[in-house]
Amino acid sequence: MMDKNKTFNLSKTGLTRRTALKGLAAGAGLAVAPGFVRYSQAQSSAPIKIGFQSHRTGIGAAYGRWYEKTTAAAVKAINAAGGINGRQVEVIIEDDGTDPGRGAEVVGKFATQHKTDIVFGTLFSHVVIGSAPAAGENKMPYFVVSEGHHVASTKLNRYVFQPGITDVKSQIQSMAPWIAANAGKKVTQIFPDFAFGYDHRDYLPPALKAQGAEVIAQIAIPPTESSFTKYFPQIPAETEVIYHVMVGPAVLTFVKELGEFYGSNRPQLFGFIDSLEAVDINSPGLEFLDGSHFWEGSPRYAQPDDSEAQKAYRAAVGIDDNGAAVGDPKDVSTAAHMFGCWETLYVVKKAMEDAGYKGPEDRAKLVEATEALTAFAEGPEHPQGPKTFNGKIHQCFGIQNISKVEGGKLKVVHKTKIEDGLYEAEGDYTKQAL
């Protein structure tokens, strides 16, 4: 375990647009791609190039923006400490529009045009699934920061990894005992109608059944839906808990309409924070959420027992105690997910150093070095908490947070253990050819 009394000094913020432009001016004559972020580099060696597949537009835009901020902050810290194998890191950004087809094109572009060392950063599961074949075909290590069970299911390919954030199957398994014991036994699910939502649909019922509870209804809603009232009459009257996990730009509308539908007489609510990521919990119309509970990967609000590493990480990515951008309380972060960008980049750094990585010709060695990793200690590189890694399924396992809405803030009331979310491997990527 880390020493909570030790102070870690990380950079306070990522690069600003002005700083990036200064860097570009300093490198006059260099042709760069849209979204290219240039960092200072050692004169004696070529930089390591990371292709960042960003959801700049589409339903994942709020996540994409904060994933970029977190990535810039992590790369700045890594470069300040000497880079990777003595080489500085550059990030090239391409927008995938949160679209599977475009995602595959972006991965191909990184491989053939930008010739990046790896591709990194994808969140939305349907984009990961749509992009993974291109990573395999181009033998391009593809480090995603998603949550779906798609990587750990071993249905993708050996070049796809999810080492910095846990998957839905593990998350649900960890939290089901608490839900059944504290929220209620009869559960109605509301989830987005695509791969991420299907993981919730498929893995919650058996997890709750093992705890003596049951899912009595499942309601799938298109992620591009803009109004939700028409779905709520499908919720059975005997429902004790509404388990909701919505995504996209209309999440504020979803929770507001849910509150208007029930008024003061509602079932217990247990939500994945996805339903409120990048949304101010004190927005008008959300008062009804008081007393409800949410899953959080990394807590949005600073907690009394935050480690020094967690405090340093929050300062580096530029969020205040309420999880909003420093200096702009209306710019609420995607704190529950974006830590995965920070932690994944440090996994990449460790694997590249273990592999003695020199360039694209060593990508197979990088894959094998990543598969050989087994655990990540809590600390500056992994501020969310300790994790184990299963190289056979390319997936990490960590702790989960259950937070309660109290006084307009989210207070962590329960932390799971790593072992709560462990499950048997469904396959073995290491048996696939490189």
Side-chain angles (χ1 to χ4, degrees), residues 169-190:
K169 182 177 181 179
S170 179
Q171 292 164 2
I172 289 173
Q173 183 175 304
S174 296
M175 295 180 295
W178 190 96
I179 295 172
N182 297 277
K185 303 290 189 184
K186 295 184 177 181
V187 181
T188 290
Q189 285 184 263
I190 302 176

Side-chain angles (χ1 to χ4, degrees), residues 65-353:
R65 188 164 57 84
W66 277 99
Y67 269 35
E68 286 190 29
K69 287 186 177 184
T70 306
T71 297
V75 169
K76 184 176 182 180
I78 288 169
N79 282 343
I84 298 175
N85 287 332
R87 298 163 60 189
Q88 296 287 281
V89 176
E90 291 181 349
V91 176
I92 301 172
I93 302 172
E94 290 282 355
D95 177 21
D96 64 15
T98 327
D99 175 81
R102 190 164 164 187
E105 293 173 0
V106 164
V107 171
K109 189 173 182 180
F110 282 134
T112 61
Q113 180 176 324
H114 299 305
K115 301 187 186 302
T116 60
D117 293 278
I118 66 167
V119 177
F120 156 86
T122 326
L123 169 64
F124 272 62
S125 57
H126 62 309
V127 182
V128 173
I129 293 169
S131 303
E137 290 162 8
N138 288 284
K139 298 187 181 300
M140 171 65 76
Y142 186 38
F143 292 85
V144 304
V145 189
S146 187
E147 281 181 295
H149 185 57
H150 34 274
V151 177
S153 70
T154 63
K155 293 178 181 177
L156 299 182
N157 62 71
R158 195 171 177 181
Y159 283 86
V160 187
F161 291 87
Q162 188 162 260
I165 191 168
T166 57
D167 72 316
V168 170
K169 182 177 181 179
S170 179
Q171 292 164 2
I172 289 173
Q173 183 175 304
S174 296
M175 295 180 295
W178 190 96
I179 295 172
N182 297 277
K185 303 290 189 184
K186 295 184 177 181
V187 181
T188 290
Q189 285 184 263
I190 302 176
F191 58 90
D193 193 9
F194 72 107
F196 170 67
Y198 302 156
D199 280 349
H200 288 267
R201 175 197 66 192
D202 295 343
Y203 297 117
L204 183 65
L208 285 178
K209 185 177 181 181
Q211 303 300 322
E214 63 177 327
V215 172
I216 61 174
Q218 296 181 314
I219 302 171
I221 299 179
T224 53
E225 185 64 87
S226 59
S227 181
F228 306 88
T229 304
K230 63 185 177 183
Y231 296 96
F232 299 144
Q234 299 176 36
I235 301 172
E238 64 270 30
T239 297
E240 296 173 352
V241 185
I242 294 175
Y243 173 105
H244 61 97
V245 51
M246 293 304 297
V247 295
V251 289
L252 179 57
T253 302
F254 169 76
V255 288
K256 278 186 174 181
E257 291 184 353
L258 186 64
E260 292 167 358
F261 180 79
Y262 277 105
S264 59
N265 185 24
R266 61 163 172 79
Q268 291 295 313
L269 298 176
F270 186 92
F272 265 54
I273 200 64
D274 306 59
S275 295
L276 276 181
E277 278 284 59
V279 173
D280 185 353
I281 205 166
N282 291 298
S283 300
L286 299 189
E287 297 81 5
F288 80 101
L289 288 173
D290 194 62
S292 67
H293 293 84
F294 285 91
W295 164 87
E296 294 187 279
S298 189
R300 175 186 299 184
Y301 288 82
Q303 303 295 312
D305 62 348
D306 277 349
S307 66
E308 291 302 319
Q310 176 69 206
K311 293 174 184 176
Y313 157 76
R314 293 175 70 94
V317 299
I319 58 174
D320 62 20
D321 285 352
N322 294 323
V326 172
D328 186 358
K330 294 182 179 179
D331 187 6
V332 178
S333 71
T334 59
H337 297 83
M338 69 194 200
F339 74 90
C341 292
W342 180 281
E343 298 205 11
T344 301
L345 283 171
Y346 276 102
V347 172
V348 170
K349 178 178 184 293
K350 169 65 173 168
M352 283 187 168
E353 290 170 350

Side-chain angles (χ1 to χ4, degrees), residues 14-27 35-39:
L15 291 183
T16 63
R17 177 175 173 79
R18 179 175 295 178
T19 306
L21 290 175
K22 280 185 179 179
L24 291 174
F36 183 88
V37 182
R38 184 172 179 82
Y39 300 87

Side-chain angles (χ1 to χ4, degrees), residues 394-411:
H394 293 188
Q395 178 64 55
C396 76
F397 295 85
I399 64 169
Q400 313 299 335
N401 298 283
I402 295 177
S403 299
K404 184 178 182 180
V405 181
E406 286 186 342
K409 293 188 176 183
L410 287 157
K411 177 184 178 182

